[in-house]
Amino acid sequence: MPSPGPLDLLYRREALRDLDNLFDFIAMERPLAAERFLLEIKRSCEGLRWFPFVGRQIDPNDDRVRVLSVRRRAAIKYVVTATTVHILAVSYRGRDLSAFFAGRR
């Protein structure tokens, strides 16, 4: 049986803003490191197209709402639907994740 193709990947506006803010924060002191880290985050998001349930379930009532950690420094919150992985938010280490993710569904 052939393998199903990858899911679509959609970044919500808030997630794109999070990525821009993360880049700006890291690039103040280490611009090259910021580029590499953002590329790693985006590659991780691309990987979710093929393996959408690799992240940890964060909503006990909905197994589609998940979070994936990147180098234990960034957390990607996303929702899986039948055809698409929706990237909802990206948080950077040092922030209160529960407060960051509250209301961002």
Side-chain angles (χ1 to χ4, degrees):
M1 176 175 194
S3 168
L7 298 176
D8 291 331
L9 182 64
L10 179 68
Y11 289 85
R12 295 240 176 120
R13 189 179 356 253
E14 296 87 353
L16 293 173
R17 197 169 329 146
D18 292 340
L19 289 170
D20 287 343
N21 291 339
L22 174 58
F23 178 84
D24 292 345
F25 177 74
I26 296 172
M28 285 190 294
E29 294 191 19
R30 301 183 62 206
L32 188 55
E35 286 182 39
R36 285 193 302 246
F37 192 47
L38 268 285
L39 182 58
E40 187 174 348
I41 291 171
K42 288 180 180 180
R43 281 188 197 139
S44 296
C45 291
E46 282 292 323
L48 293 172
R49 297 177 66 209
W50 291 97
F51 303 103
F53 293 98
V54 69
R56 179 176 54 89
Q57 180 178 339
I58 58 174
D59 184 338
N61 300 315
D62 189 348
D63 72 339
R64 300 170 310 136
V65 181
R66 307 184 85 75
V67 66
L68 178 68
S69 177
V70 178
R71 273 204 269 159
R72 300 173 77 183
R73 296 178 128 178
I76 303 164
K77 182 182 180 186
Y78 64 99
V79 172
V80 181
T81 65
T83 60
T84 307
V85 174
H86 299 265
I87 306 299
L88 304 177
V90 181
S91 175
Y92 189 60
R93 176 183 74 164
R95 294 175 78 173
D96 178 358
L97 289 181
S98 58
F100 179 77
F101 286 147
R104 295 187 77 175
R105 183 167 180 191

